[in-house]
Amino acid sequence: MDQAKSLNIHHPFQQSLPAVAKSPSTPITEHLAYLLAQANREINRQLDARFKKEGVPVEQWRILKVLSDGKGHSMGDLADAVLLNHPTLTKMVDRMVSDALVYRVQDPDDRRKVVMFISDRGKTLTQRLNSLALSQEAHIAENYGNKATADLKRLLESLIEKAN
Amino acid sequence: MDQAKSLNIHHPFQQSLPAVAKSPSTPITEHLAYLLAQANREINRQLDARFKKEGVPVEQWRILKVLSDGKGHSMGDLADAVLLNHPTLTKMVDRMVSDALVYRVQDPDDRRKVVMFISDRGKTLTQRLNSLALSQEAHIAENYGNKATADLKRLLESLIEKAN
DNA sequence: AGGAAAATATTGAATATTCAACGATTCCCG
DNA sequence: CGGGAATCGTTGAATATTCAATATTTTCCT
């Protein structure tokens, strides 16, 4: 097959070679937004790799962890806490209910609300996930340095606070 | 309709009230992975809001920015640079080709490869996006502090480097 | 009280992402 | 040289996320 055609490749007739070099704008790697995305992606990837054997995505760990305080949490609170949009959370919770990690109770004080709880099965899974997560944190602190890690956390917290 | 039934709500028969409080494990808000996700989400949301009027998602800005060095980039290089999986990048580039922001050329030296270039139309859009992004950076530096911003960037860079 | 407005969570359709498999090309090595 | 392995990018199917609309309940206001 003609690859050029199938891939929509063409020759750059619309291009004109610039007579002089453009002033190069800030490289993307210097933007805070990019650095955050890159760091987040990498750390998440590593954490996901550790969670792989439990077959649980990072978001579910967050949900379990928040619920493991034993108190009930509404879907709205939970969505904020675990950084997920409402519909996404609803569907993820559906899966977790199927897996019996978590369950819903109607809030008796406000019947619009649902109160989420963690099950015993969820609790034991959470413990395994917590130790995987802690071992990752330890690994990071190890070859990144305790001070750097602490400094970074502090700066991130303060950025998040200011950003609201 | 019976909401309890439709929402798969039930009462917590499987729960037993713990006789004593559990030792609370590290709150999720203290995990580096969570702080990164939160900061990334927030900064991205703000940047996306600024890009809204151009109708361009942040990922497309990254692509445009990388390509705006005028050199050609293979899809593989680009995927690494813009933090996107290969198939995701392919499909996003398809859209950008449709919008005439970007175009493909077959690499003459290695015909498996495709070399991506930015179009003139893409360049002018990039300039508008760059200035939106710079104004965001300025806004952050303003109420977060120049030093904190610089420190945070430095720590992120070093984390990313160590994480590989 | 009573009805409009707000809050809460879910649903369905549209959209986007991911995983696995593929086709094409190049590399490597006996 | 020749053929199996590796590389590069894309595709299609499966999965996940998002947007807008909805149902239900509560709040607010006069």
Side-chain angles (χ1 to χ4, degrees):
Chain A
M1 186 193 343
D2 182 353
Q3 193 185 16
K5 193 153 206 172
S6 77
L7 295 184
N8 204 10
I9 287 173
H10 66 85
H11 289 286
F13 288 125
Q14 80 249 43
Q15 285 304 292
S16 53
L17 293 178
V20 293
K22 291 255 184 38
S23 68
S25 60
T26 321
I28 186 120
T29 50
E30 286 175 24
H31 281 271
L32 182 55
Y34 180 82
L35 291 169
L36 282 170
Q38 192 178 5
N40 180 48
R41 183 179 161 90
E42 185 56 34
I43 297 299
N44 242 330
R45 185 202 304 288
Q46 290 179 9
L47 191 53
D48 247 326
R50 286 177 193 256
F51 286 177
K52 186 68 176 273
K53 67 175 167 193
E54 301 286 353
V56 177
V58 172
E59 290 79 11
Q60 290 198 13
W61 171 60
R62 290 197 205 125
I63 295 171
L64 290 168
K65 197 154 176 56
V66 169
L67 294 186
S68 64
D69 66 0
K71 306 186 182 88
H73 293 259
S74 74
M75 291 297 280
D77 290 351
L78 205 47
D80 291 343
V82 304
L83 316 175
L84 251 31
N85 297 341
H86 285 219
T88 305
L89 178 64
T90 292
K91 285 156 191 173
M92 186 160 287
V93 162
D94 284 347
R95 284 170 239 147
M96 294 173 77
V97 168
S98 298
D99 294 343
L101 297 173
V102 116
Y103 58 94
R104 287 184 244 240
V105 177
Q106 194 179 67
D107 187 335
D109 299 333
D110 184 341
R111 289 170 41 239
R112 291 169 303 184
K113 292 189 186 175
V114 156
V115 189
M116 297 300 313
F117 290 93
I118 189 169
S119 71
D120 289 340
R121 190 167 184 286
K123 281 180 195 161
T124 74
L125 173 59
T126 306
Q127 285 174 13
R128 293 197 299 275
L129 296 174
N130 282 345
S131 86
L132 291 172
L134 283 177
S135 109
Q136 189 211 21
E137 294 260 327
H139 177 259
I140 291 170
E142 194 172 318
N143 52 342
Y144 180 56
N146 279 317
K147 174 156 190 322
T149 308
D151 286 353
L152 178 55
K153 285 188 186 179
R154 189 180 44 75
L155 285 169
L156 287 171
E157 279 167 6
S158 125
L159 173 67
I160 290 158
E161 191 188 351
K162 293 277 173 46
N164 298 330
Chain B
M1 177 180 3
D2 180 353
Q3 193 186 17
K5 193 152 206 173
S6 79
L7 296 184
N8 204 10
I9 287 172
H10 66 87
H11 290 289
F13 287 126
Q14 80 249 42
Q15 286 302 295
S16 52
L17 294 178
V20 294
K22 290 257 183 38
S23 68
S25 59
T26 321
I28 188 124
T29 51
E30 287 175 23
H31 280 270
L32 182 55
Y34 180 82
L35 292 170
L36 282 170
Q38 193 178 5
N40 179 51
R41 182 179 162 90
E42 185 56 34
I43 297 299
N44 243 331
R45 184 199 306 285
Q46 290 180 9
L47 190 53
D48 248 326
R50 286 178 193 255
F51 286 177
K52 186 69 176 272
K53 68 175 168 195
E54 300 288 352
V56 177
V58 172
E59 290 79 10
Q60 290 197 13
W61 170 60
R62 290 196 204 127
I63 294 171
L64 290 168
K65 197 151 178 56
V66 170
L67 293 185
S68 64
D69 67 0
K71 306 188 183 88
H73 292 260
S74 73
M75 293 294 280
D77 290 351
L78 205 48
D80 290 344
V82 304
L83 315 176
L84 250 33
N85 296 341
H86 286 219
T88 305
L89 178 63
T90 290
K91 285 155 191 172
M92 187 161 285
V93 163
D94 285 348
R95 282 170 240 150
M96 295 174 78
V97 169
S98 299
D99 295 342
L101 298 173
V102 117
Y103 58 93
R104 287 184 244 241
V105 177
Q106 194 179 67
D107 187 334
D109 299 332
D110 184 342
R111 291 169 41 239
R112 289 169 304 184
K113 292 188 185 174
V114 157
V115 189
M116 298 300 312
F117 289 94
I118 189 169
S119 72
D120 289 341
R121 189 167 185 288
K123 280 180 197 163
T124 73
L125 174 59
T126 307
Q127 285 173 13
R128 293 198 299 277
L129 296 174
N130 283 345
S131 86
L132 291 172
L134 284 177
S135 108
Q136 189 211 21
E137 294 258 327
H139 177 259
I140 290 169
E142 195 172 317
N143 54 341
Y144 180 56
N146 279 317
K147 174 155 192 318
T149 309
D151 286 353
L152 178 54
K153 284 188 187 179
R154 189 179 45 74
L155 284 169
L156 287 171
E157 280 167 6
S158 126
L159 174 66
I160 290 158
E161 192 188 351
K162 292 277 172 45
N164 299 330

